[in-house]
Amino acid sequence: EMATRKPIARNPKFGFQQNGSTDSSHIHPSILKQGRKSGQLNLSGRSMTKVPNEVWRINIDVPEESKTVSLDNTDDRWWEQNDLTKLILASNWLTELSEDIKELVALTVLDVHDNRLESLPQAISTLECLVKLDVSRNKLKEFPSCICKCQNLVSLHIEHNQITAMGPEIGSLRKLEELDLSNNQLTSL
């Protein structure tokens, strides 16, 4: 009888639930609303295998709350929303990020540590405001050269991957102050 039961997992955001019952393809509108309000979206530890499209379109799509707008309601001024500047997708099961990341033009912090990423989208090179990037604890085999076009990058964490070489393009990151390449498989710099 014990073998047929699914184990119960505790999710700090939603209480207790059956394992495997999370729907990672949809994010509750209130979380997106809060992200628009604060400019920060934390979707860490949600067992996501794919980032839902509404995350990439958070700055573009007309929010749900605007469909029933009341000028009297000072809490829901969706027209005063902030562009997303901080996106945390850490500790999920992501194997890729969409090229649609280019829609998050104001992003200054991107944290995707502790996932299963084998590569990064080329569109990361278009994120001109990006200051901090954490791609540590993934499955990157090659240093993603697209990172080297992020001219304002100050902090880059890429430790605990499987990178074997570092090319000269890293030299184009002139504002870089913090670089962690530890626990990779580097044979040359």
Side-chain angles (χ1 to χ4, degrees):
E1 183 184 330
M2 290 294 279
T4 59
R5 284 189 184 170
K6 283 187 174 180
I8 301 290
R10 182 163 189 328
N11 183 322
K13 291 185 175 92
F14 304 111
F16 289 90
Q17 62 193 18
Q18 294 260 334
N19 268 354
S21 66
T22 55
D23 179 11
S24 64
S25 64
H26 181 70
I27 295 171
H28 196 277
S30 66
I31 295 171
L32 293 172
K33 179 180 172 181
Q34 184 58 38
R36 280 190 288 273
K37 196 172 187 178
S38 68
Q40 302 183 15
L41 189 58
N42 186 342
L43 299 174
S44 59
R46 292 175 169 260
S47 306
M48 292 190 304
T49 54
K50 185 176 190 287
V51 179
N53 284 336
E54 59 258 41
V55 170
W56 308 128
R57 301 186 55 82
I58 192 168
N59 298 335
I60 302 167
D61 288 345
V62 175
E64 275 304 311
E65 57 267 28
S66 71
K67 294 173 183 167
T68 56
V69 69
S70 164
L71 296 177
D72 300 331
N73 190 345
T74 56
D75 294 334
D76 285 340
R77 291 186 175 160
W78 61 268
W79 57 89
E80 293 178 358
Q81 77 177 23
N82 294 302
D83 279 350
L84 203 62
T85 58
K86 186 175 187 178
L87 178 60
I88 303 172
L89 299 168
S91 303
N92 281 294
W93 299 336
L94 302 173
T95 55
E96 65 177 359
L97 295 176
S98 170
E99 293 289 340
D100 290 337
I101 198 169
K102 69 181 181 290
E103 304 297 348
L104 303 178
V105 294
L107 213 56
T108 60
V109 175
L110 176 61
D111 184 347
V112 291
H113 83 271
D114 190 24
N115 275 286
R116 299 172 180 172
L117 298 173
E118 295 181 12
S119 64
L120 294 179
Q122 289 301 310
I124 279 188
S125 65
T126 66
L127 301 178
E128 294 178 9
C129 298
L130 200 61
V131 174
K132 182 175 183 181
L133 176 62
D134 189 342
V135 290
S136 61
R137 299 187 183 277
N138 275 285
K139 297 184 180 296
L140 300 174
K141 290 182 174 64
E142 293 180 4
F143 183 82
S145 59
C146 57
I147 293 173
C148 296
K149 294 194 175 133
C150 299
Q151 294 300 304
N152 289 307
L153 205 60
V154 173
S155 173
L156 174 59
H157 283 262
I158 198 162
E159 68 270 19
H160 290 277
N161 277 284
Q162 300 158 17
I163 298 170
T164 56
M166 175 62 60
E169 65 274 6
I170 190 81
S172 63
L173 295 175
R174 302 203 182 276
K175 293 186 179 178
L176 198 64
E177 295 176 9
E178 181 180 26
L179 173 64
D180 192 340
L181 280 161
S182 63
N183 293 288
N184 273 289
Q185 298 168 7
L186 292 173
T187 54
S188 66
L189 288 175

